[in-house]
Amino acid sequence: MSLSASKLNWRNLRPEEQRRLLRAKLEMKHRLDETKVERFLPNRMQKPFLESKARISALIAANKGGKTCIGAIKCWRFVKEGGKIFRIVGSLGFERGIRDTICPELKKWIPPHRIKSEKANSQGVVVRMVLAGDNGQDSIISMMSGEQEDMSFEGDIIHGAWLDEPPRKA
């Protein structure tokens, strides 16, 4: 039986054909999830930041300028390329900055099967994600709030960072 999409009637398919189609659909979703970042088309403000190989780079843009989106994409690229520890500081706090803004954007771009584990703080906000990189090594994304005491930022070794929104004044 030919499986022409225009004439496909699910109820007329044998169970093994239904399973085969479901497996094919899941495989296609998996492949699309994996290539979502590569298919992203940055706007003219995002492109230089995204393509920069500089050790330190910044993107300054107006509200709704795509800063969080491009930060999440750059973070995921860091992980995919074998980066070990990436720190995100949400200056708007754990609820507004991390839970409501940054985590949903990360999960929009990171394929779900790459998230190996998540750890939440006492407020129920994800503060640590362990992800599988392309090289088979685990990478860690740790999230902190700009509301935390200065001491909580001391002593960590990190390999990449993203400061979302201007940090508070010292």
Side-chain angles (χ1 to χ4, degrees):
M1 171 185 214
S2 173
L3 296 178
S4 168
S6 61
K7 298 190 185 219
L8 181 65
N9 185 338
W10 184 259
R11 287 177 284 203
N12 292 340
L13 296 175
R14 294 188 309 266
E16 64 270 7
E17 292 173 320
Q18 290 176 350
R19 283 191 294 275
R20 193 176 85 227
L21 279 175
L22 284 174
R23 277 194 304 274
K25 183 177 180 181
L26 288 172
E27 176 64 24
M28 180 60 81
K29 182 185 180 325
H30 175 79
R31 287 182 187 187
L32 288 174
D33 282 349
E34 278 295 313
T35 62
K36 187 187 284 189
V37 167
E38 285 78 14
R39 291 180 286 120
F40 174 76
L41 296 173
N43 67 35
R44 65 179 179 78
M45 296 292 289
Q46 296 168 326
K47 190 172 183 173
F49 174 76
L50 191 59
E51 293 176 351
S52 173
K53 300 294 182 202
R55 186 168 145 86
I56 297 173
S57 57
L59 174 65
I60 301 168
N63 287 341
K64 304 295 180 194
K67 298 180 299 292
T68 303
C69 170
I70 208 69
I73 289 171
K74 194 136 182 168
C75 175
W76 174 234
R77 284 185 173 178
F78 171 87
V79 168
K80 280 182 58 85
E81 294 168 3
K84 299 272 189 238
I85 302 171
F86 195 88
R87 168 74 44 80
I88 300 172
V89 180
S91 294
L92 296 177
F94 278 117
E95 285 84 13
R96 265 185 69 212
I98 303 295
R99 184 194 64 210
D100 298 344
T101 306
I102 293 170
C103 272
E105 197 66 33
L106 284 171
K107 290 182 177 185
K108 179 175 154 185
W109 293 103
I110 298 172
H113 68 279
R114 293 292 194 112
I115 301 173
K116 295 176 89 174
S117 68
E118 294 180 349
K119 179 183 173 193
N121 66 8
S122 60
Q123 300 164 317
V125 178
V126 174
V127 293
R128 179 182 165 104
M129 297 170 84
V130 178
L131 307 169
D134 284 352
N135 62 358
Q137 300 291 321
D138 288 350
S139 295
I140 296 169
I141 297 176
S142 73
M143 291 163 257
M144 298 182 76
S145 165
E147 297 171 338
Q148 289 178 265
E149 294 295 321
D150 294 345
M151 291 287 290
S152 59
F153 290 87
E154 293 180 8
D156 289 343
I157 297 173
I158 60 174
H159 304 110
W162 164 19
L163 304 177
D164 191 65
E165 299 297 334
R168 65 179 164 79
K169 293 182 181 177

